[in-house]
Amino acid sequence: VQLQASGGGLVQAGASLRLSCAASGLTDSTNYMGWFRQAPEKEREFVAAISWSGGHTYYKHSVKGRFTISRDKDKNTVNLQMDSLKPEDTAVYYCSADKGYKALSTLMTYGMDYWGEGTLVTVSS
């Protein structure tokens, strides 16, 4: 599985950005795709996930209502629409996918199995 993320950039607080992730090599066992982020000097953290088949969505509490994850199964893409951005959203954002055999709670806590190169999002105050 290969994942290619794009769409990061520098914006002011309150602005919006849309991240996209193009996936190749996904298998029928893929259950979830998601986004994680890592801010400077902090641990990587879960941001949002989506079930690949049913499109059910899951969010970190602090982004719920501001971020929207979506997927296009025909194009094998996952997007993260980020609105009302805050300086604390500044981080490198990583697209990820699972192999299909771990529980979502485990994936959210420890990360998924496949990772793309990160894309930097910087929100200025």
Side-chain angles (χ1 to χ4, degrees), residues 67-85:
F67 290 12
T68 304
I69 188 170
S70 61
R71 61 68 165 125
D72 185 326
K73 294 180 70 178
D74 292 333
K75 295 181 180 179
N76 274 1
T77 57
V78 175
N79 300 308
L80 185 67
Q81 177 67 38
M82 304 186 295
D83 298 320
S84 303
L85 281 162

Side-chain angles (χ1 to χ4, degrees), residues 2-56:
Q2 293 190 322
L3 305 169
Q4 180 66 50
S6 61
L10 169 64
V11 296
Q12 290 191 325
S16 298
L17 272 177
R18 184 177 178 85
L19 304 183
S20 292
C21 176
S24 61
L26 293 178
T27 69
D28 290 340
S29 62
T30 300
N31 281 337
Y32 300 100
M33 290 192 68
W35 292 91
F36 289 71
R37 68 187 181 188
Q38 186 166 19
E41 318 226 332
K42 291 192 175 180
E43 300 269 323
R44 182 183 62 197
E45 63 178 6
F46 167 79
V47 176
I50 188 165
S51 63
W52 190 244
S53 60
H56 303 291

